[in-house]
Amino acid sequence: MSLLSRLNRRRPAARSEARTQATRPAALGLAVLTALTAFTTLGPAATPAQADPEDCPRGYFCAWKTDHATGEMLKLTQSASTLGAWDNQINAVSNRTNQYVCGYDEPGYTTSYWSVGVREPDPGGTEWGYMGMRSLSSLKFVLTGRECYGPAYTTWHAEPNPAGPSRFGNLNGDDEADLLARDKAGRLWFLPGNGTGKLVGGGWGAMNALTRHGDFSADGKEDVIAREASTGKLSAPASRSARAAGTA
């Protein structure tokens, strides 16, 4: 075989090797691009964004199942004695209402551990976070924080007067001293001295002075004087609170 024939027989193999070497950088580039794409998908982009308190609409109590307040959101404007699919699932809350919200670990606003979670009003939505307990099965909306644990009124007990009914501190004519108590929500409560209480009415937060001052109406029951903060006007002296409470 001549030398020229030998050279022509080797050329196809050389061209094939050149084509193989040319495809290697392209394959390597595709592998690098695939790896970078995978890193972007699994890297920072997969981290959930922190929720803003304003994600909860004003006037609502909102709850999330995650600690960072992301994902599905529960919105409430009134008490819920049961939570359905949200039972024992709440981990973050925001209270944008004007009321306190009490959390209980049992349905029907009861607790098995004598522990109650309380979230104060935050209409501006400046705060969100932990309710105070992990197991939540019911939520109650109230006007004051004390109502999460017991009655809205202060407990008052008085001993009977040995001398019989007295006009001093006596709004219902019995032989026990009575009290009138105003709570932070502006409600006035009549406390007859036996540990119970009865609501007189609301709106008493507008008064900047409230005092008992003798029996002006001569009905045997002490009267109450209240002064309105905006006008300085005094209420008419009478046993108004006793009558409003149904005690006179």
Side-chain angles (χ1 to χ4, degrees):
M1 181 181 296
S2 66
L3 179 60
L4 181 60
S5 298
R6 292 175 182 174
L7 290 174
N8 289 336
R9 185 173 293 180
R10 291 177 180 176
R11 282 174 183 170
R15 287 196 298 269
S16 177
E17 182 178 354
R19 285 196 299 270
T20 302
Q21 291 177 351
T23 59
R24 286 176 182 169
L28 180 60
L30 180 60
V32 171
L33 179 61
T34 302
L36 289 175
T37 302
F39 175 80
T40 302
T41 302
L42 299 176
T47 303
Q50 293 294 312
D52 191 287
E54 293 184 358
D55 289 344
C56 177
R58 189 179 183 91
Y60 283 82
F61 173 85
C62 301
W64 295 265
K65 295 180 180 180
T66 61
D67 290 330
H68 41 265
T70 57
E72 185 181 3
M73 181 170 61
L74 173 68
K75 297 187 295 183
L76 296 173
T77 57
Q78 60 185 5
S79 301
S81 60
T82 58
L83 297 179
W86 287 81
D87 185 53
N88 291 328
Q89 298 295 315
I90 295 176
N91 287 303
V93 298
S94 176
N95 182 15
R96 298 199 64 186
T97 74
N98 292 315
Q99 302 182 63
Y100 288 79
V101 178
C102 323
Y104 304 87
D105 63 357
E106 296 289 344
Y109 321 120
T110 59
T111 176
S112 57
Y113 297 102
W114 298 102
S115 178
V116 178
V118 181
R119 196 73 185 181
E120 295 184 357
D122 181 29
T126 59
E127 298 181 1
W128 62 269
Y130 185 44
M131 183 72 183
M133 55 190 303
R134 291 291 182 185
S135 300
L136 290 172
S137 294
S138 56
L139 294 165
K140 184 171 66 172
F141 289 61
V142 295
L143 294 179
T144 60
R146 66 176 296 118
E147 295 171 74
C148 291
Y149 306 94
Y153 53 83
T154 303
T155 302
W156 165 251
H157 292 274
E159 293 294 329
N161 184 359
S166 170
R167 293 187 178 184
F168 181 81
N170 190 349
L171 294 171
N172 61 357
D174 63 7
D175 57 354
E176 296 175 348
D178 308 317
L179 283 181
L180 287 173
R182 181 178 57 184
D183 64 20
K184 292 182 178 181
R187 296 171 299 182
L188 192 67
W189 296 90
F190 171 71
L191 311 177
N194 59 4
T196 65
K198 189 167 184 178
L199 180 64
V200 174
W204 289 82
M207 307 295 179
N208 62 358
L210 180 66
T211 183
R212 48 141 285 275
H213 201 72
D215 180 11
F216 287 92
S217 59
D219 61 356
K221 302 179 181 67
E222 214 170 21
D223 303 316
V224 174
I225 294 178
R227 183 179 63 197
E228 189 175 13
S230 61
T231 64
K233 182 180 178 180
L234 298 179
S235 67
S239 300
R240 290 183 171 185
S241 298
R243 289 198 297 270
T247 57

